[in-house]
Amino acid sequence: MTNRRRANRGRYLVPVVAVFLASTAPAAVAAAAARPPVPVAAPAPSPSSPSGQSPQSTPPSGEGATRWSVAPANAKGPDGRTRFSYEGLRPGAVVSDFVSITNLSTVPVTFRVYAADGITTPEGSIGVATADVKPTDVGAWTRLGHGSLRVPPRTRVVEPFTITVPTNATPGDHVGGVIASITQAVAGTQVGRESRIAVAAYLRVAGPLTAALGVEAVSTSYHGTANPFGGGSATIAYTVRNTGNVRLSGTQAVSVTSPLGTEAVTTPATLEQLLPGDSVRVTARLAGVLPAGPLKAHVTVTPVQVPTAPAVPEPLQPSAQTVGLWATPWPQLVLLLVLAAFSAGLWQWMSWSRRRFDTRIAEAEARGHRAAVGGVPVTDPDRGA
C-alpha cells in the first residue's frame, strides 16, 4: 500500500515502559496554531490520584525514580482524552494538536520527543515501532515543535504538533504514536535503555473501505501417544492477515475431524487488533485427537469490529481453510500385531494339542486291538504295568 508503514516488526520489543492506550472516549481535534512549548507549574499528583492527570505515566521503580506522564492536550494542558483520533481526513489534510509532558520527578529531565508508526505485535495487538525504525506512515507524517525538551521538576510542558496526510495516502486506517522517552545507562554496562510512553494516534483517511481477514499458510503436525486406547495431539499453525484497509479484531476456532466422526476443538485467544496489511502467526494445539489415519484440520477466523474504532463496512465475513492431516495409529497397529501373534500362537498350540490327543487315541485303539487278537493284557503306558 502507498505510504503504508512497513516497520521492522522484529525490533520493537526492547526493554521499555510503553503505554499505548485505546479508549472508548471520543476524540476531538484541537485546531489551534502551533506555538512554542508552554511550561505550566503543576504539582505532581499521586499515580492513583483522580486529579485529571493522564494514567499514561511510568510507575515508580524505586526511591528517586524518574516518573513522567504523557497525554493529549489543548494549549493549556491535558484535555481528558487518552488518545488522538481523527476521522474522515482527506489526502492533503493538515491536523494541528497538542501533547502534554509532565515531569513528576524532583529533578530536571530531558525527554526525547518523536512520533513512530504503529505495528501489530506477534500477540495480535497494536504497539509502536522503536526509535531506530524509520517511520513511513503516521510517524513520518507527524511534525513536533522540538525533538527534545528539558522539563523542570514537577512541571508540565505542552508541545504542539501537526500531522500532514500525504496527497497519495491510501484510504482506511493509519496508526502511530506520539512518544516522550528517556535513555538511561544500564548499571555496569555501556548499554542504554530507552524508557518511553506513547499516546496512540488513530487516523482514518476518507475513501472506499474494506474490512476482511484472511487465513494463510496452514501447516499441521500430529503427535502420537503410546497409549493404544488414548488420543494424541495435533498442532495447527496458520497466518491471519488483515487483507482490508481498516483495523480489525478477530475470533478464532480450530478443529480436527476424523473419518470416524470424532472431533477435537479449540478456540485460540481473540486477536485484539490487526492493522491493515499486517499479519500474525498463530499456533493452536489440540488434545485428544484419535489417530484415525486421514484427518482434516479446519481453521476459521471471524473479523470483529474494534469497539473503539469508527464503523466498518458490513457484513463481516469469516475466512476459513481446511487442510489434510495424516495420523498413523502406531499404538493400535502394535496392539493389533500383538493380538494377531497371540491368536496365531493360540491356534498353533490348540492344533498341536488336538494332534497329540488324536495320536494318543489312535495308539490306545491299536493296543486294544492287539490285546484282543493275542490275549495280551492291555497296559496303559502312562500308568505303567
Side-chain angles (χ1 to χ4, degrees):
M1 290 185 180
T2 307
N3 287 312
R4 182 68 66 187
R5 80 278 173 277
R6 286 292 179 265
N8 182 345
R9 296 174 179 79
R11 302 174 65 185
Y12 74 92
L13 291 175
V14 295
V16 299
V17 178
V19 181
F20 198 78
L21 297 183
S23 81
T24 57
V29 177
R35 64 189 66 183
V38 180
V40 179
S46 164
S48 59
S49 171
S51 60
Q53 182 68 39
S54 167
Q56 297 170 238
S57 59
T58 57
S61 58
E63 188 68 27
T66 301
R67 297 187 299 121
W68 72 101
S69 68
V70 183
N74 54 36
K76 296 181 179 180
D79 57 9
R81 292 177 292 167
T82 54
R83 61 174 185 159
F84 300 107
S85 180
Y86 316 107
E87 301 177 26
L89 298 177
R90 297 288 179 182
V94 179
V95 177
S96 297
D97 214 329
F98 297 90
V99 62
S100 73
I101 303 168
T102 304
N103 179 7
L104 302 173
S105 307
T106 57
V107 295
V109 178
T110 299
F111 296 98
R112 180 182 179 184
V113 185
Y114 63 98
D117 290 342
I119 53 177
T120 300
T121 71
E123 295 76 27
S125 60
I126 293 181
V128 287
T130 52
D132 59 337
V133 177
K134 184 178 180 180
T136 59
D137 200 68
V138 173
W141 304 351
T142 305
R143 292 290 180 269
L144 290 121
H146 301 82
S148 65
L149 290 171
R150 182 174 175 82
V151 183
R154 301 185 182 278
T155 301
R156 176 185 297 133
V157 171
V158 176
E159 174 76 354
F161 67 89
T162 60
I163 300 177
T164 303
V165 182
T167 57
N168 61 345
T170 56
D173 289 341
H174 301 257
V175 178
V178 179
I179 301 164
S181 71
I182 62 173
T183 301
Q184 298 170 306
V186 178
T189 72
Q190 295 182 344
V191 177
R193 181 182 66 182
E194 181 190 30
S195 298
R196 60 184 187 164
I197 303 174
V199 181
Y202 296 99
L203 284 70
R204 177 162 289 184
V205 177
L209 300 179
T210 303
L213 298 178
V215 179
E216 306 173 354
V218 181
S219 63
T220 63
S221 60
Y222 182 80
H223 315 283
T225 175
N227 181 5
F229 303 103
S233 62
T235 299
I236 315 298
Y238 53 94
T239 297
V240 181
R241 185 177 302 277
N242 187 334
T243 57
N245 59 5
V246 295
R247 52 194 174 102
L248 290 169
S249 177
T251 60
Q252 308 177 84
V254 181
S255 63
V256 174
T257 57
S258 76
L260 303 178
T262 60
E263 182 180 28
V265 180
T266 188
T267 53
T270 297
L271 300 171
E272 183 181 332
Q273 289 192 62
L274 266 71
L275 294 180
D278 281 0
S279 64
V280 294
R281 189 70 177 169
V282 180
T283 300
R285 295 177 175 83
L286 298 89
V289 180
L290 294 178
L295 308 177
K296 289 185 178 180
H298 313 273
V299 178
T300 302
V301 176
T302 303
V304 178
Q305 160 83 43
V306 176
T308 58
V312 299
E314 297 284 354
L316 298 177
Q317 299 294 337
S319 177
Q321 288 281 356
T322 297
V323 298
L325 169 64
W326 183 266
T328 303
W330 291 116
Q332 289 78 7
L333 290 176
V334 171
L335 178 61
L336 182 62
L337 290 175
V338 170
L339 291 176
F342 176 79
S343 299
L346 180 61
W347 184 83
Q348 291 286 349
W349 180 82
M350 292 179 65
S351 298
W352 173 81
S353 297
R354 186 180 300 107
R355 290 194 301 271
R356 183 170 180 270
F357 179 77
D358 291 343
T359 300
R360 294 184 61 183
I361 291 297
E363 291 175 350
E365 290 177 347
R367 286 195 300 272
H369 179 70
R370 289 195 299 271
V373 173
V376 180
V378 178
T379 303
D380 188 339
D382 292 337
R383 290 188 173 183

